[in-house]
Every structure is written in C-alpha cells, then in structure tokens.
Amino acid sequence: MPFASTLVLAAAAAASSGAKESPIAAKCTPGLTPAAGSLHGHTALVISTSHNRLGPSNCTSCKPTGVYSEELTAPFLLFRDAGLNVTIATIQGGDVPFDSSYNTSLLEPSWDRRFFEDPTAVRAAKGCQPVALIDFLAYDIVFMAGGWGAAWDLGPSEALAKGITKTFAAGKLLGSVCHGALGFIQATKPNGDLLPKGLNMTAVTDRQIEELGIASITPQHPQDELTQAGANYQCKHGTVTDILENDVVVDGSVVTGQNQMASCMVPQLLMRKLASSL
C-alpha cells in the first residue's frame, strides 16, 4: 500500500477513535509557548519556497508542490499570537505556493484550518517580497519552512544565503523545519566556514524522503546536504516510519526541526530564547 494511503487510513482510525488532530500534525511542548502578546514590538521573518511543481520549473505535467503548509501556518500563527510582527517572504517573491498533497480533510492539522480561515493570515501569504529585497537584520527571528518545493530553491539561493549569513553574524535567532534547513547550506560564519560546519542540526531524513517516494525526484536532500556542509546531523528513526518522529536540535542561536512534527516546537523554542534575551 502506498505510504500516503497508509497515512489516510491512520488518520481515519484516529478520527473514528475521537482524536481531534491529524496523526502527523505538529506537536507542541505544553507550557513553552509565550503568553499572548508578550513579545509585542519584536519581529519574525518566515521564509517559503517559490517552487510550485514536483520537477523542473518548466515542467508542465509535474504534480503541484510548494511549502508543506503546516510548516508555515503553525510558525506564523505562533509568532503572531505572541505579539511579534510577522512577515512572510518567498525566494522569488509573489504568493506562497501551498502544497496540499497531505492536507485532506482527515490529515489537515488545526493550524492550517485556523490559518486559511483567517483573512489577515491569508493576505500575508499573498504578494510576498522576494528574499533579495528583505532586510534580514530588521528581524529578531528568521524561520525557514520546508516542503518539497524547498528542495529546488532554498539551497541554491544566493540571496537567502547572504541573509542567513548576516543574521547569524548578528547573533539573531535562526530556525528551520524539514527541507527548510537547506537554507543554511550556502551561508557562512564570520570566519568563512560554512555555517553548518560543526553545528548540531537536524532536518528531514533520507529515509522519510524515500518513504514518501520523492528521493529520485527532488534535487537536494537535507540530511545529505547538511552532512556535506559539515554539520553534526542528528535525527530520530521510527521502528516503522520516520514521518511520525519528532526531533528538535538547539545549538546556540540555531534551532532546527526534523520534519513537520517540529513545526510548533521550533517556533516555541525560538520565542523562548528571544524572551530570555530581553
């Protein structure tokens, strides 16, 4: 049975048992979210892919893709709830391409439902500035969402690499989930080393990419790219699958999450670090 079908069956079983949340939805740490409005006056930048198809940009027959929606909706809402002024930017500029592949009525997480029912949130994902025009130093937190589209354009983006390099050098907070970690691979430290070199980091596993059937399609795999860039790559493997695993790694000002399951915990930890620095 295809793995996606297995997920749908798992979601159906969870729903029939009375569960109110998708089995692959982000997991939050109780008590870690800052009080509503407590970070008012501070800022967060959420970065999304612009790539909207599962193949080259000129492919007319490829399936649609983009950002895995919860990896953007959860951080956006968490940051906004805490009082931060949140900006969404995309690699090329324009509307955020949301991938609905795993967003059926059974698998749709509550973060997505809340985001897409909120006109202000939806507007924030329209007509976004390209990363090349963003002043990264104007933000206290910079977060990079994942999704399959990110495998095409986050890693190769020189503008993103320059922004992440500046953010890191300024001691500001950086975070990513899943394929979002590809935004680190060209960035550098003040000494010229690649930013991932020597850092403890995580991102989606090769195993999960293989389980979802895209290993031979996507051009960059975060586990491989981080390792090649010198990161101390860490992850958790499940007995049956990695898609239900949740790992978050903190190293100084950098907080990375293994996959979609970390889409709440990474923003929580970034905000806790910001709050403790004030």
Side-chain angles (χ1 to χ4, degrees):
M1 178 182 294
F3 195 75
S5 299
T6 303
L7 288 177
V8 172
L9 290 176
S16 65
S17 68
K20 297 181 179 180
E21 187 60 277
S22 164
I24 61 170
K27 301 296 184 286
C28 299
T29 300
L32 191 59
T33 302
S38 61
L39 293 176
H40 178 75
H42 295 278
T43 53
L45 175 66
V46 176
I47 296 171
S48 166
T49 178
S50 290
H51 194 83
N52 63 3
R53 61 201 67 194
L54 201 56
S57 57
N58 62 352
C59 178
T60 58
S61 60
C62 294
K63 294 180 179 179
T65 191
V67 65
Y68 185 90
S69 54
E70 190 184 29
E71 294 176 18
L72 184 145
T73 62
F76 178 91
L77 293 170
L78 283 158
F79 292 147
R80 193 183 68 175
D81 288 349
L84 287 101
N85 183 6
V86 189
T87 299
I88 300 175
T90 61
I91 298 300
Q92 303 266 350
D95 296 354
V96 171
F98 288 100
D99 187 340
S100 60
S101 298
Y102 296 96
N103 210 4
T104 67
S105 59
L106 290 174
L107 289 173
E108 184 179 35
S110 57
W111 294 110
D112 283 5
R113 289 193 293 273
R114 182 181 160 202
F115 184 95
F116 292 115
E117 290 171 1
D118 182 336
T120 301
V122 171
R123 281 196 299 272
K126 301 283 189 182
C128 302
Q129 288 288 303
V131 292
L133 297 183
I134 295 293
D135 178 6
F136 279 71
L137 297 183
Y139 297 92
D140 299 297
I141 294 173
V142 175
F143 175 88
M144 295 176 285
W148 296 343
W152 274 270
D153 63 359
L154 262 67
S157 174
E158 293 183 4
L160 178 59
K162 289 178 181 177
I164 298 303
T165 296
K166 291 178 181 178
T167 303
F168 183 80
K172 305 229 175 181
L173 295 165
L174 286 160
S176 68
V177 166
C178 202
H179 282 78
L182 289 168
F184 288 109
I185 63 175
Q186 280 201 85
T188 56
K189 296 175 179 176
N191 67 0
D193 287 344
L194 289 175
L195 194 155
K197 184 177 180 181
L199 285 186
N200 299 311
M201 304 180 79
T202 190
V204 65
T205 65
D206 286 348
R207 181 187 180 194
Q208 179 170 332
I209 293 171
E210 291 165 0
E211 290 171 340
L212 293 174
I214 61 165
S216 63
I217 302 174
T218 50
Q220 289 189 323
H221 300 165
Q223 177 177 344
D224 299 338
E225 297 293 338
L226 287 178
T227 300
Q228 290 170 16
N232 299 319
Y233 177 81
Q234 302 175 15
C235 67
K236 291 182 180 178
H237 291 300
T239 303
V240 177
T241 175
D242 281 3
I243 198 169
L244 299 177
E245 293 304 306
N246 185 20
D247 194 21
V248 175
V249 177
V250 180
D251 195 334
S253 62
V254 178
V255 183
T256 51
Q258 180 170 324
N259 60 16
Q260 78 290 337
M261 303 284 278
S263 299
C264 182
M265 288 179 62
V266 170
Q268 283 183 311
L269 287 165
L270 288 168
M271 290 188 290
R272 176 59 63 89
K273 280 182 165 287
L274 177 59
S276 65
S277 71
L278 302 178

